Amino acid sequence: MNDHLFDRPLFLRSGKYTVQEIATLGDAIDFLCDWPEPDRDMIYETALRACIEAYDGLRPLSVVRHAIQGFARKKGILEDPAEMMPWLDAGNSERSGRSPA
């Protein structure tokens, strides 16, 4: 599924101390398949349907990424990578003359 790579990964909390990087269509499908059955609702079904349709070539990956992002936002599990890994931005602050927080 290398050709099913998102333009930018999403980071979703999958446990109290675990964050998963969702970078491919396969990652998204695996994440949704592991979602607890009692918590599956219309938003879950919409995201899963988008994944299946993209796998079948009927939807672009941008639609899947957007659907997964919306699902994660509604469930409160979408993580901001800049907040998770502040060291990623440290190089940018040195170049811009800003001091890291």
Side-chain angles (χ1 to χ4, degrees):
M1 282 200 197
N2 290 340
D3 58 333
H4 292 124
L5 188 66
F6 293 159
D7 61 344
R8 291 180 329 276
L10 294 166
F11 295 90
L12 310 183
R13 193 171 48 254
S14 62
K16 189 172 183 177
Y17 301 106
T18 306
V19 174
Q20 281 184 252
E21 179 183 27
I22 308 298
T24 67
L25 177 58
D27 294 342
I29 291 171
D30 289 344
F31 186 87
L32 291 173
C33 286
D34 290 341
W35 193 254
E37 285 192 39
D39 296 334
R40 296 178 183 185
D41 55 10
M42 185 66 95
I43 295 169
Y44 167 89
E45 294 295 333
T46 300
L48 184 60
R49 188 175 325 110
C51 289
I52 293 167
E53 290 175 356
Y55 187 83
D56 290 340
L58 303 173
R59 296 251 184 232
L61 287 177
S62 60
V63 170
V64 173
R65 188 182 183 284
H66 185 71
I68 297 297
Q69 186 176 26
F71 165 78
R73 188 174 286 120
K74 284 288 190 182
K75 298 296 183 180
I77 60 170
L78 183 64
E79 292 290 330
D80 180 1
E83 289 180 18
M84 291 179 349
M85 300 174 278
W87 51 268
L88 283 177
D89 196 38
N92 292 334
S93 63
E94 289 172 8
R95 282 184 291 239
S96 68
R98 294 181 299 161
S99 60

